[in-house]
Amino acid sequence: MKIEVSAILEQLLAGPLRGMEQLEQQIFALRFHQYLPDVERPLRQLYGQREDYDAWLNRFLTLAAKAYAARPAPLRLLDLKRAAEPDWFQQASMMGYVCYADRFADDLNGITEKIPYLKELGITYLHLMPLLKPRPGANDGGYAVMDYRAVDDKLGSMDDLAHLTAQLRAEGISLCIDLVCNHTAKEHAWAQKAMAGDSHYQAYYHLFPDRTMPDQYEQTVREIFPEFKSGSFTYYKAIDKWVWTTFNEFQWDLNYANPAVFGEMLDTMLFLANQGVDVLRLDAVAFMWKRLGTDCENQPEAHAILQAFRALSRIAAPGLLLQAEAIVPPSQLVTYLGRGEATNKECEAAYHNVFMVMLWSSLAERKVALMTHALQKMPPIPSGTSWLSYVRCHDDIGWAVTEEDAEAVGLNGYLHRSFLSDFYNGDFSGSFACGATFQFNPRTNDRRISGTCASLAGLEKALAQEDRHEIDLAVRRIQLLHSMIFAFGGIPLLYMGDEIGLLNDDSYLADPHLADDNRWLHRPKMDWALAAQREDRSNVNGRLYQSLISLIQARKRTPALHAEAPAYAVWSHNEAVFALLRESPRGRVLILGNFSEQPQTVPAYRLQEMHFGGQLLECLNQRPVEGCHDVQLEPYQSVWLQAQS
């Protein structure tokens, strides 16, 4: 094996790396030897049974070498800096912002002009929603990509993207963009060649001559968008074949059992990294491998694909982070950050959708038992990884409450999920929320929810009623939710407009390409006129903005919130108060949050049991607190108590 490895390396040095200086070649050789075992392990799992495995391995390594050779000098320096500071994305100073480029600032050049606003907020991580060239017309919010190497025409060009990454980097802001790796638009060149009958490109997708195999698969796979289409397959008369289309008719699932597909996506990934992209959000990764008799989600091979992407990108562009978009049950979520021999060798970051769901569940129920139990059951994450914690995002909220977790705290899972849907679409008596049902499945009664943070938290309804007390409670709910995600660890994500309390926007109904998808309800355009009033605490939007700024500043000055510090959900001995313990050599912080509109108390004896009985610092207002007293919490108040050494 050593002879083969040496031969491959020599071939690369004499080939794509031959024009590089000796030191640069030596750096590549070091990474090659360091990461080759991590490359081989998952690739053998995926393609090791093929007679041409060695040729494909050589192909993938050649792609990595070519990308390394083409990587601009400033990015090579960034690679070295991040190698010297591997926890750069785990630090408490990290703060994320998520937006659609056109809805935030018209285009990529407009984003550059808004950098001062992002800096004012304390943002160090910017996720621009899908910006690669989508199919015309309906395109699932940009997630139906027809060209991975071009930017959406309305946003600018690939040169504009590279310029933006450089501008952001100079201001200490890392850029994240989406790479839709489970499927392409049917207008993508590969799909068009497949549609024209090219067997090479037909093998890039899952095509079937009749309904025999689709019918077998559909016995166990779930419908993702039952209101948009029935089933997971679409018939195309032009080729007389059924195509696997998990999400929409115009999104064709890629076939990663074909190593050519893996190579294409690897090449795309490294191309985007060389434009200066810091983080790739890998969309719909749970669906990347199909296996008959299963739900075709979270298969072992899907993890192997991610691990191989990670190892090969580490050779070519180690400053790049991979972020998993896997909205899956709690028991399967941590695996995307690496388990067992893949620990710290899969994605560096993943969305904590369980925490998000539990936050909204606790607000509706006014009780925290379900959230505490569900979080306690989740295994720890690897030391070199991070959660992405969030309150809202561009997508709907699916109620990821398992039967087991519900039963453990005396709830019925089916009824609780139904309650949450009714509560947040406003049908439940006494609900403060203004949301909308998304994708009702009459077979399962599964209903998801659309709506902005402010509207779901009660601000829209309170403003409409001109009820000052309810407005105050709604603002407090929004503050509480963000306090929780800012303290949880990892990278907290602020969704565009939530900092000024943007409400649901039904203007999407006038656009025929958007009208059928009510997720656009919570994708409003940024209201810059409202943002201009953000210094004015006398209005609700300014009050909200200033309070979130204060929370962000508190997070940044609390190193104990570093992502390496485990986040333990603990019992507060008050059913309405959530307690989270962050504990590491950097310090100990106890986060308390009152999820009810009534004042609540956490008894002093409980603080002492958790060794918070002495002199404490309340991190949010930087005031000393005596741990020998009960903690009194106002409606929806949160406190961060740091033990003093």
Side-chain angles (χ1 to χ4, degrees):
M1 182 61 189
K2 288 183 179 180
I3 296 175
E4 293 177 11
V5 168
S6 299
I8 293 173
L9 181 57
E10 288 175 8
Q11 179 183 353
L12 296 176
L13 292 172
L17 304 173
R18 66 182 178 277
M20 305 192 77
E21 295 181 2
Q22 184 179 14
L23 178 59
E24 292 172 321
Q25 291 182 338
Q26 290 172 338
I27 291 173
F28 179 88
L30 283 172
R31 293 178 186 161
F32 178 90
H33 288 295
Q34 179 180 358
Y35 293 109
L36 186 60
D38 295 334
V39 170
E40 278 247 76
R41 175 180 46 77
L43 285 179
R44 285 197 177 278
Q45 179 182 349
L46 293 167
Y47 310 120
Q49 75 284 1
R50 297 176 61 103
E51 292 183 0
D52 59 355
Y53 167 78
D54 289 344
W56 280 111
L57 174 63
N58 201 323
R59 167 66 176 158
F60 301 149
L61 291 168
T62 300
L63 290 173
K66 287 180 177 179
Y68 174 81
R71 193 154 172 79
L75 299 181
R76 288 206 198 113
L77 287 174
L78 181 65
D79 291 337
L80 295 175
K81 178 184 178 182
R82 289 183 173 166
E85 190 183 19
D87 70 337
W88 66 273
F89 65 98
Q90 298 177 294
Q91 296 172 13
S93 58
M94 288 297 290
M95 185 66 214
Y97 195 83
V98 183
C99 63
Y100 283 92
D102 57 335
R103 293 182 167 256
F104 183 65
D106 294 332
D107 56 23
L108 296 182
N109 290 329
I111 297 290
T112 302
E113 297 173 5
K114 298 300 183 184
I115 289 177
Y117 178 81
L118 298 173
K119 293 279 288 182
E120 178 185 313
L121 270 170
I123 301 305
T124 60
Y125 164 108
L126 174 63
H127 176 194
L128 294 180
M129 299 301 294
L131 53 76
L132 300 180
K133 189 171 185 176
R135 71 185 297 268
N139 54 45
D140 191 23
Y143 287 101
V145 178
M146 63 179 290
D147 189 346
Y148 289 113
R149 296 189 179 231
V151 169
D152 187 341
D153 293 337
K154 69 183 179 184
L155 299 179
S157 67
M158 193 57 69
D159 286 342
D160 292 331
L161 178 62
H163 175 71
L164 175 60
T165 65
Q167 295 294 108
L168 290 169
R169 192 160 53 250
E171 297 293 341
I173 301 174
S174 300
L175 179 65
C176 170
I177 70 169
D178 291 84
L179 179 57
V180 185
C181 45
N182 175 70
H183 48 264
T184 72
K186 68 178 182 181
E187 289 80 7
H188 192 285
W190 305 336
Q192 288 296 295
K193 291 176 182 178
M195 189 76 85
D198 188 326
S199 60
H200 175 76
Y201 285 98
Q202 286 188 348
Y204 275 37
Y205 300 96
H206 299 272
L207 276 61
F208 304 91
D210 54 41
R211 284 292 308 186
T212 302
M213 292 304 296
D215 285 344
Q216 291 185 48
Y217 277 112
E218 287 196 332
Q219 292 179 22
T220 53
V221 299
R222 64 187 176 105
E223 288 182 313
I224 305 302
F225 293 147
E227 291 183 0
F228 293 167
K229 70 177 183 66
S230 176
S232 297
F233 299 86
T234 303
Y235 177 71
Y236 290 90
K237 186 176 181 179
I239 51 175
D240 191 27
K241 293 184 186 297
W242 290 85
V243 179
W244 199 311
T245 54
T246 294
F247 294 93
N248 287 286
E249 171 273 329
F250 50 77
Q251 292 166 300
W252 288 21
D253 285 38
L254 288 164
N255 177 16
Y256 278 91
N258 180 353
V261 171
F262 178 91
E264 295 275 19
M265 201 55 66
L266 172 67
D267 200 24
T268 297
M269 181 181 297
L270 298 178
F271 168 78
L272 294 172
N274 280 356
Q275 308 311 303
V277 173
D278 298 279
V279 184
L280 286 174
R281 175 191 180 272
L282 304 181
D283 183 66
V285 293
F287 299 87
M288 290 194 300
W289 196 269
K290 321 300 186 187
R291 174 169 284 112
L292 192 63
T294 73
D295 61 2
C296 296
E297 298 178 44
N298 309 299
Q299 297 301 302
E301 291 84 356
H303 293 285
I305 292 167
L306 295 174
Q307 292 159 26
F309 281 156
R310 159 78 178 262
L312 286 158
S313 66
R314 279 299 172 106
I315 294 174
L320 177 71
L321 291 189
L322 302 184
Q323 175 179 311
E325 190 267 340
I327 309 305
V328 300
S331 61
Q332 298 168 323
L333 184 55
V334 175
T335 312
Y336 286 91
L337 296 173
R339 303 291 290 170
E341 60 184 350
T343 297
N344 285 321
K345 295 178 180 180
E346 197 162 325
C347 292
E348 286 92 345
Y351 291 92
H352 205 320
N353 69 294
V354 175
F355 187 40
M356 179 274 296
V357 167
M358 293 302 165
L359 288 171
W360 288 106
S361 174
S362 297
L363 267 190
E365 195 185 2
R366 278 78 161 183
K367 295 180 180 179
V368 300
L370 179 60
M371 175 159 61
T372 304
H373 172 78
L375 293 177
Q376 284 183 341
K377 278 186 57 183
M378 294 191 69
I381 64 175
S383 59
T385 65
S386 174
W387 286 120
L388 295 154
S389 53
Y390 62 109
V391 173
R392 284 300 288 118
C393 68
H394 73 289
D395 222 340
D396 57 277
I397 302 176
W399 302 116
V401 177
T402 68
E403 300 297 333
E404 295 78 10
D405 285 343
E407 290 175 4
V409 296
L411 297 173
N412 177 287
Y414 173 83
L415 294 179
H416 189 65
R417 292 189 295 272
S418 296
F419 157 70
L420 293 174
S421 294
D422 289 340
F423 188 93
Y424 284 107
N425 70 19
D427 286 347
F428 191 85
S429 177
S431 169
F432 49 70
C434 289
T437 297
F438 178 72
Q439 295 297 324
F440 169 57
N441 188 328
R443 291 192 300 108
T444 63
N445 198 37
D446 179 54
R447 293 171 290 156
R448 287 121 74 183
I449 290 293
S450 294
T452 68
C453 171
S455 291
L456 294 179
L459 187 57
E460 180 174 341
K461 187 173 183 179
L463 288 171
Q465 296 174 345
E466 299 182 350
D467 187 323
R468 295 181 62 181
H469 175 66
E470 288 299 322
I471 290 172
D472 178 67
L473 290 179
V475 170
R476 287 171 175 264
R477 292 185 195 104
I478 298 169
Q479 292 169 338
L480 170 65
L481 292 170
H482 286 89
S483 177
M484 294 297 101
I485 67 163
F486 292 172
F488 190 82
I491 306 174
L493 302 179
L494 186 60
Y495 186 60
M496 186 200 81
D498 285 352
E499 72 274 19
I500 54 174
L502 290 190
L503 305 178
N504 290 341
D505 177 12
D506 62 6
S507 64
Y508 75 96
L509 293 170
D511 186 333
H513 296 310
L514 307 181
D516 290 338
D517 186 346
N518 70 19
R519 289 176 297 178
W520 289 100
L521 190 68
H522 54 257
R523 300 169 183 173
K525 289 186 177 181
M526 184 61 173
D527 189 335
W528 288 109
L530 197 60
Q533 304 174 39
R534 62 188 180 273
E535 302 290 341
D536 184 2
R537 289 179 179 269
S538 67
N539 69 63
V540 64
N541 311 97
R543 174 187 167 192
L544 184 56
Y545 180 89
Q546 293 300 323
S547 67
L548 293 188
I549 285 282
S550 296
L551 285 170
I552 292 169
Q553 292 171 345
R555 170 183 163 79
K556 288 177 179 286
R557 64 173 179 259
T558 311
L561 299 181
H562 191 288
E564 281 185 347
Y568 302 109
V570 293
W571 299 103
S572 68
H573 292 193
N574 182 317
E575 64 177 10
V577 177
F578 177 63
L580 185 74
L581 176 62
R582 304 297 309 282
E583 185 171 26
S584 76
R586 292 181 174 85
R588 302 178 71 247
V589 182
L590 179 66
I591 295 95
L592 300 174
N594 176 8
F595 277 77
S596 89
E597 59 268 64
Q598 303 299 325
Q600 301 292 335
T601 300
V602 176
Y605 75 82
R606 184 58 183 138
L607 296 182
Q608 293 162 13
E609 289 175 348
M610 293 184 286
H611 306 290
F612 281 85
Q615 187 72 33
L616 308 174
L617 175 68
E618 208 293 283
C619 299
L620 298 181
N621 57 29
Q622 302 187 77
R623 295 176 182 172
V625 174
E626 291 292 340
C628 58
H629 300 302
D630 295 345
V631 176
Q632 308 291 338
L633 295 172
E634 296 178 5
Y636 299 114
Q637 183 186 2
S638 66
V639 296
W640 302 356
L641 302 176
Q642 184 162 23
Q644 301 297 287
S645 57

